[in-house]
Amino acid sequence: MTIIERLQMFPGTHAAQTPDKPAAVLVETGETLTYGELEERSVRLAHVLYDAGLRPGDVVALLTENNLHAFEVYWAALRSGLYITAVNHHLAPAEVGYIVDDSGAKALIVSAGKAELAVQVEGAGAGLKLAFDGPVDGYGSYDDALAAASDVPFDDQPYGATMLYSSGTTGRPKGVRPTLSGAQVDDPADSLVGLAGQFFGVNADSVYLSPAPIYHAAPLRWSGAVQAHGGTVVMMRRFDAETALHTIQERSVTHGQFVPTMFVRMLQLPDEVRARYDVCSLKVAIHAAAPCPVEVKQKMIDWWGPILVEYYAGTEGNGMTMIDSKTWLTKPGSVGRAVMGTVRICDDAGALLAAGEVGTVFYERETVPFVYHNDPEKTAAAQHPEHPNWASLGDVGYLDGDGFLFLTDRKSFMIISGGVNIYPQETENVLALHPAIHDVAVIGLPDPEMGESVAAFVQLATGVAPSDQLGEEIIAFVKSKIASYKAPRSVRFVDALPRTETGKLVKGELRKQYA
């Protein structure tokens, strides 16, 4: 089967051929969503959205825990030429409201499991508000809306896209808005669908374990790619090391996607627990989202065999590198060679660097396939000064003589903890308001389990004495203002913070001193 033939697939194709085949299964409850149900319910929701006035290019926001209904909303948006914005349900109400409003969402669909958060979202200008799995104050019934809608697909079904939010160094989340292709949903030419088939072996026989939150780009888009190929997504409500191993064995999982923290937690299980489960069905263990320590990856290969495949990409979709286990063993620490776009390494002035020289990592494409919604300055900053079709995620690294990419740092000092991106500026902005704090810096420190942990370095106001109790109060203060995972896990009191004469914080010095 050629790549083009693979691309000409979507759930409707599989609903016609295998309507009773599971498109998705929820591990904890055993709930199943068949391809027939996914097709019918996404068609009905597409009609609901159209009748509410949504047209191609508009946005549907989704607020849910890991729930099978997420796939109905995803495919309803994609078959309607709409953007779907899945919102992190761990955010504070004001943060959720900002994303809904900034995206311009004309529909907000929520889970009753997140009712307490959903009713607190203020200022959300969405005209259509629906809730599934139970009533939520201020929201209509999702099931009632679908029941009253047509189950006949529209003749015109333009292919939509995700528009997910990724915080910038200013602390305000920015929506990554891809360019819509103009293709139809049954022939979308989706690059990830093609890559999943060509390089990761995804097909109709694949059983894909998705243990990460569905509001992240990788779980949402990769699950969609598996369903485009006709495979089955096995979704976990939340990751648990032993449950993941049990699920691999029980469901004969062939593919799974993990972050390095998940590998660490599985490796920390007692030997007798790990030996209890047969993982021989696994053909490909995909990992990304955060740097994987060489020792951790080596131990996973020793345990599972040479089935680990790593990729480096971003929500922006501007490029991708990939490396399999066999190659990685000869290039430990590399994130591979480009399979989408061309990697360019440049110095601060934009000049190309030679092999082995460290600089900013750019991906070259025919055109940059995204913009940052409502932020032309951030969009321009991601582009090369002389080559507007080169875009960077802000990472720093080098290419070796064979064209393999090695990442060395992140320009933005973004913290990746457990595969989740945390931007220090947002936490610093909160801490700056604390009455006991004169100056503060937040950085990531190495953590054997999470990869990095959030650490706050605090210079106290005059007359304030440091104490363990004050450190705990500072952490609690942050948790009361923004999502708790962005709060520091440790507070260190310092006499002064390294700043230049112009006031710029020199975080590199902190890293050298404490990392």
Side-chain angles (χ1 to χ4, degrees):
M1 182 179 289
T2 67
I3 296 174
I4 296 298
E5 288 171 334
R6 283 177 177 158
L7 293 175
Q8 294 173 340
M9 293 181 178
F10 82 118
T13 307
H14 310 299
Q17 298 170 352
T18 54
D20 296 327
K21 180 179 180 178
V25 177
L26 191 61
V27 170
E28 288 79 359
T29 65
E31 295 171 70
T32 298
L33 179 69
T34 68
Y35 273 100
E37 292 167 337
L38 177 59
E39 171 70 2
E40 179 183 340
R41 293 176 69 82
S42 65
V43 166
R44 289 181 181 273
L45 181 55
H47 279 277
V48 173
L49 297 171
Y50 186 89
D51 291 344
L54 279 79
R55 297 294 183 269
D58 288 337
V59 176
V60 179
L62 173 66
L63 181 68
T64 182
E65 73 284 2
N66 280 11
N67 189 303
L68 300 189
H69 290 302
F71 300 121
E72 300 167 3
V73 181
Y74 176 83
W75 283 107
L78 260 62
R79 72 190 310 147
S80 303
L82 304 175
Y83 289 100
I84 177 169
T85 297
V87 184
N88 182 344
H89 60 80
H90 295 295
L91 296 175
E95 295 173 303
V96 174
Y98 164 78
I99 291 174
V100 175
D101 286 341
D102 183 75
S103 69
K106 293 186 177 180
L108 173 59
I109 301 176
V110 305
S111 165
K114 296 299 166 186
E116 183 177 352
L117 175 59
V119 298
Q120 295 181 70
V121 176
E122 297 179 359
L128 176 67
K129 300 172 76 172
L130 298 174
F132 51 72
D133 285 352
V136 175
D137 289 345
Y139 293 77
S141 168
Y142 178 89
D143 283 337
D144 287 351
L146 264 61
S150 170
D151 62 356
V152 179
F154 288 108
D155 291 334
D156 182 35
Q157 298 187 90
Y159 192 63
T162 58
M163 187 174 87
L164 305 179
Y165 272 68
S166 177
S167 293
T169 54
T170 61
R172 274 296 196 182
K174 296 300 177 186
V176 178
R177 190 178 178 97
T179 303
L180 295 179
S181 67
Q184 291 289 297
V185 72
D186 58 352
D187 186 19
D190 187 308
S191 57
L192 181 57
V193 176
L195 290 166
Q198 182 181 9
F199 293 106
F200 297 86
V202 173
N203 57 37
D205 296 324
S206 298
V207 180
Y208 173 79
L209 179 64
S210 183
I214 199 66
Y215 56 76
H216 282 309
L220 183 60
R221 295 195 63 218
W222 275 87
S223 293
V226 170
Q227 290 168 345
H229 282 283
T232 297
V233 175
V234 178
M235 173 192 277
M236 298 176 69
R237 287 274 198 207
R238 60 189 59 83
F239 175 77
D240 174 79
E242 186 172 357
T243 302
L245 295 176
H246 174 77
T247 302
I248 292 169
Q249 174 180 285
E250 182 181 42
R251 298 282 180 179
S252 297
V253 170
T254 63
H255 294 68
Q257 184 154 183
F258 309 90
V259 298
T261 299
M262 296 175 184
F263 288 157
V264 171
R265 291 178 180 171
M266 288 188 284
L267 288 167
Q268 288 174 341
L269 290 171
D271 290 344
E272 62 271 20
V273 174
R274 289 167 51 189
R276 195 177 298 158
Y277 301 101
D278 183 352
V279 296
C280 67
S281 63
L282 267 177
K283 297 178 180 179
V284 180
I286 305 163
H287 74 98
C292 188
V294 170
E295 182 181 2
V296 170
K297 185 163 181 175
Q298 182 65 64
K299 288 182 177 180
M300 287 302 301
I301 293 173
D302 293 342
W303 178 15
W304 283 2
I307 64 169
L308 272 67
V309 180
E310 181 174 4
Y311 71 89
Y312 162 65
T315 303
E316 289 81 353
N318 59 321
M320 179 187 285
T321 64
M322 189 204 78
I323 190 166
D324 60 21
S325 291
K326 181 180 178 181
T327 307
W328 182 87
L329 289 169
T330 69
K331 301 276 188 179
S334 174
V335 295
R337 286 193 285 198
V339 295
M340 182 171 67
T342 302
V343 178
R344 306 293 189 187
I345 307 296
C346 300
D347 64 18
D348 289 343
L352 277 172
L353 296 175
E357 294 185 308
V358 175
T360 301
V361 180
F362 286 88
Y363 278 115
E364 177 184 354
R365 300 283 298 278
E366 291 185 6
T367 59
V368 174
F370 72 94
V371 296
Y372 290 108
H373 186 55
N374 290 336
D375 198 337
E377 291 183 0
K378 183 175 175 66
T379 302
Q383 296 172 314
H384 188 278
E386 296 179 3
H387 303 281
N389 58 323
W390 299 10
S392 175
L393 303 177
D395 293 314
V396 176
Y398 66 92
L399 291 170
D400 72 4
D402 298 319
F404 284 83
L405 177 63
F406 292 77
L407 299 176
T408 58
D409 205 345
R410 291 176 179 265
K411 275 192 171 180
S412 64
F413 290 104
M414 181 178 70
I415 301 166
I416 303 181
S417 183
V420 177
N421 295 348
I422 300 170
Y423 292 85
Q425 183 68 56
E426 189 174 8
T427 308
E428 289 166 354
N429 289 345
V430 172
L431 287 171
L433 302 176
H434 194 285
I437 294 176
H438 171 72
D439 198 6
V440 63
V442 174
I443 66 172
L445 294 181
D447 185 294
E449 180 184 9
M450 303 299 288
E452 289 183 298
S453 64
V454 182
F457 291 79
V458 172
Q459 179 183 351
L460 292 171
T462 303
V464 179
S467 68
D468 291 343
Q469 181 180 355
L470 178 57
E472 293 171 0
E473 289 176 1
I474 288 171
I475 293 172
F477 178 78
V478 177
K479 290 182 177 180
S480 73
K481 301 295 183 182
I482 57 177
S484 60
Y485 69 81
K486 302 175 184 178
R489 298 182 72 178
S490 62
V491 175
R492 304 188 184 201
F493 298 105
V494 296
D495 293 331
L497 292 170
R499 290 187 179 274
T500 66
E501 292 182 358
T502 59
K504 182 179 179 181
L505 189 63
V506 186
K507 289 189 175 180
E509 291 300 317
L510 281 178
R511 285 185 178 276
K512 289 179 183 178
Q513 293 177 37
Y514 295 99

